Amino acid sequence: MFGSHDRLVLAINTQTFVLWADHLRARLANAGDDRIRALVEGYFAFARDNTNLWMAIYDHRLPPEMPMPDPDAAIRGVLTEIVIDEIAKVRSTDTGHTPPRWPDL
């Protein structure tokens, strides 16, 4: 179905990013005023509660000849967007203006 061990782990890891993003969204939905704290605590809670999935993200490397497929990169990027959006909200509140968006990585 996946064709290789790397593609299987890639699929699992991408799904882990979906779960992680959903976990952070749920934490943020009930965060109150301290959304950065909820973000940080949500990160560590997900890692603690899903240690094997979390570790697989950091332990697995795609071979150099196998680039990250664009759909997987987009799905994984959602997690980064959640973090960027929350930091931007805090910076906007602290300074009174909306900071420029970070460039796409």
Side-chain angles (χ1 to χ4, degrees), residues 25-63:
R25 282 190 199 102
R27 287 291 186 110
L28 290 167
N30 299 309
D33 292 336
D34 198 349
R35 296 178 65 83
I36 297 299
R37 181 181 183 127
L39 197 63
V40 171
E41 288 177 353
Y43 173 92
F44 287 109
F46 183 87
R48 180 191 64 238
D49 296 344
N50 302 279
T51 305
N52 291 338
L53 292 173
W54 182 81
M55 289 293 296
I57 289 172
Y58 296 102
D59 287 346
H60 181 256
R61 301 286 180 267
L62 291 174

Side-chain angles (χ1 to χ4, degrees), residues 40-97:
V40 171
E41 288 177 353
Y43 173 92
F44 287 109
F46 183 87
R48 180 191 64 238
D49 296 344
N50 302 279
T51 305
N52 291 338
L53 292 173
W54 182 81
M55 289 293 296
I57 289 172
Y58 296 102
D59 287 346
H60 181 256
R61 301 286 180 267
L62 291 174
E65 69 277 2
M66 184 181 172
M68 173 77 61
D70 289 342
D72 290 273
I75 290 168
R76 292 169 179 228
V78 169
L79 184 70
T80 304
E81 284 296 318
I82 291 170
V83 174
I84 289 170
D85 289 347
E86 291 303 321
I87 292 170
K89 288 176 189 173
V90 170
R91 289 182 62 205
S92 175
T93 301
D94 289 347
T95 63
H97 73 280

